[in-house]
């Protein structure tokens, strides 16, 4: 799997399926341990991610890492993190639906190879694309639903938590629920 994974990551740099290829510095495949069973999905790379080639490396990524650490999760060790859209939308605008649609095949391939038991959607763009088009983060965060044999949960985007720190306790509750769920369905993740 590692050879194929590597090849897909390299091939992504040649992707021209949507207009974002014209303005990107590089496409951002993802970061983490491809042997994990827990996949986090954000929205799209921002400026820092576009420059560094890794998801969630700016301020919101630092907050995410800190919160993950509390529940024993670490991008360098036992989870994988990627985005719905692999290239930065200019001016950090939301990805257009046609850009998400063009890009989703990359995420499907990643998901097929990774075969996660749990998917965590970070924010509205991810949760509405992956879980339910009508997903409301403020109302449905932290709830696990099963889809195609995968448990899925939506929670707050870390950038939203930077804007609204009063939502941090609720987001932390979601991660504690995630820790319980991992222990229940894929405890081996905590051995990685
Ligand atoms: N926001 C996201 O959704 N993804 C990133 O990689 C960075 C910021």
């Amino acid at each position: 799997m590692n050879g194929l994974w590597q090849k897909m990551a390299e091939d992504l740099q040649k992707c021209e399926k949507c207009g974002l290829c014209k303005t990107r510095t590089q496409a951002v495949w993802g970061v983490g341990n491809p042997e994990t069973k827990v996949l986090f999905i954000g929205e799209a790379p921002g400026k820092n991610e576009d420059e560094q080639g890794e998801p969630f490396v700016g301020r919101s990524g630092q907050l995410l890492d800190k919160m993950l650490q509390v529940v024993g999760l670490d991008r360098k060790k036992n989870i994988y993190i990627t985005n719905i859209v692999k290239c930065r939308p200019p001016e950090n605008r939301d990805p257009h639906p046609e850009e998400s649609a063009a890009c989703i095949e990359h995420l499907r391939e990643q998901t097929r190879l990774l075969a996660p038991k749990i998917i965590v959607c970070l924010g509205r763009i991810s949760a509405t694309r992956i879980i339910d088009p009508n997903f409301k983060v403020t109302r449905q965060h932290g709830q696990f639903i099963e889809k195609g044999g995968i448990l899925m949960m939506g929670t707050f985007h870390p950038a939203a938590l930077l804007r609204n720190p009063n939502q941090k306790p609720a987001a932390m509750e979601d991660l504690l629920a995630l820790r319980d769920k991992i222990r229940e369905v894929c405890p081996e993740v905590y051995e990685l």
Side-chain angles (χ1 to χ4, degrees):
M1 124 104 156
N2 263 335
L4 184 51
W5 189 259
Q6 200 49 43
K7 173 151 189 342
M8 292 194 321
E10 284 163 22
D11 285 352
L12 180 70
Q13 298 305 332
K14 297 178 222 141
C15 180
E16 294 182 350
K17 284 186 185 161
C18 81
L20 295 180
C21 64
K22 298 200 186 85
T23 47
R24 73 182 175 214
T25 305
Q26 58 194 312
V28 181
W29 174 250
V31 65
N33 183 349
E35 303 300 325
T36 188
K37 293 291 153 208
V38 182
L39 175 62
F40 283 75
I41 304 175
E43 179 180 325
K47 186 173 187 296
N48 296 300
E49 292 76 21
D50 173 71
E51 286 167 3
Q52 295 181 43
E54 181 173 327
F56 288 101
V57 288
R59 271 182 72 224
S60 64
Q62 286 164 19
L63 173 60
L64 179 64
D65 283 342
K66 258 206 291 193
M67 294 176 66
L68 290 172
Q69 193 186 17
V70 176
V71 293
L73 297 176
D74 182 340
R75 68 170 78 197
K76 294 199 174 71
K77 227 169 90 182
N78 54 11
I79 55 168
Y80 203 86
I81 308 177
T82 189
N83 286 305
I84 297 278
V85 168
K86 309 301 194 219
C87 298
R88 181 192 182 205
E91 317 299 331
N92 293 345
R93 63 162 169 78
D94 284 353
H96 293 152
E98 64 273 18
E99 291 159 354
S100 304
C103 208
I104 204 78
E105 191 51 38
H106 296 300
L107 182 61
R108 284 212 187 95
E109 285 179 21
Q110 288 179 305
T111 309
R112 251 195 309 271
L113 272 190
L114 213 74
K117 295 244 172 76
I118 299 175
I119 288 180
V120 179
C121 293
L122 297 168
R124 176 183 57 87
I125 297 274
S126 172
T128 53
R129 194 72 182 72
I130 303 294
I131 303 177
D132 169 2
N134 298 313
F135 193 92
K136 296 276 178 291
V137 176
T138 44
R139 255 189 274 142
Q140 291 166 274
H141 69 91
Q143 296 173 12
F144 284 90
I145 63 144
E146 204 225 279
K147 241 182 117 178
I150 304 174
L151 287 164
M152 302 191 181
M153 185 255 269
T155 187
F156 301 89
H157 193 286
L161 298 176
L162 289 173
R163 287 193 300 271
N164 294 310
N166 59 326
Q167 289 173 325
K168 280 188 196 172
M172 210 52 245
E173 288 282 321
D174 295 348
L175 290 183
L176 290 167
L178 171 65
R179 179 173 68 184
D180 290 346
K181 197 56 87 180
I182 294 172
R183 285 178 175 156
E184 188 188 320
V185 302
C186 47
E188 67 275 15
V189 163
Y190 278 120
E191 307 298 324
L192 291 171

